[in-house]
């Protein structure tokens, strides 16, 4: 764990957070500044800086399956949800620990990929 990384500290329990999902490799918790009625961050316990640094296919699959599980548990899987991964400065990433945004509970523009 990177002790100066906020998501490492949440994943290790050093900072208390209400985890909506956790397993051996993955944790999920609400975003502190929600952009939708449901806004959950799904992150690997291991410190990985961004998607550009992910080289573990097994972990990649586990993360994606965790996103789907969080959506089912949150009751939003059927109506639909949006999943976003921001990578690097131009990708809009502000926290340098890989995370999947799971957003739901409002209608997102069809086909919109953002600005
Ligand atoms: P990014 O811009 O890197 O894709 O997303 C980072 C997200 O992390 C933002 O949506 C921001 O609101 C959220 N965030 C930043 N610091 C914290 C924190 O300490 N706790 C939680 N739960 N979310 C955070
Ligand atoms: Zn980290």
């Amino acid at each position: 764990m990177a002790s100066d990384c906020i998501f490492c500290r949440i994943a290790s329990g050093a900072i208390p957070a209400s985890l909506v999902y956790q397993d051996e490799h993955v944790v999920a918790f609400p975003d502190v500044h929600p952009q939708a009625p449901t806004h959950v961050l799904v992150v690997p316990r291991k410190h990985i800086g961004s998607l550009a640094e992910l080289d573990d296919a097994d972990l990649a699959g586990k993360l994606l399956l965790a996103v789907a599980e969080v959506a089912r548990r949150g009751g939003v899987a059927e109506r639909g949800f949006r999943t976003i991964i921001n990578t690097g400065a131009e990708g809009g990433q502000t926290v340098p620990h890989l995370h999947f945004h799971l957003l739901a509970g409002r209608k997102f523009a069809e086909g919109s990929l953002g600005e």
Side-chain angles (χ1 to χ4, degrees), residues 6-7 10 15-18 29-35 39 41 84-88 91-97 99-101 103:
I6 189 89
F7 289 174
I10 290 172
I15 295 177
S18 62
F29 47 88
D31 194 292
V32 72
H33 292 126
Q35 305 296 313
H39 187 173
L41 301 172
I84 296 173
I85 307 169
N86 297 323
T87 303
Q93 184 178 6
T94 59
V95 175
H97 178 128
H99 50 281
F100 291 52
H101 294 261
L103 298 137

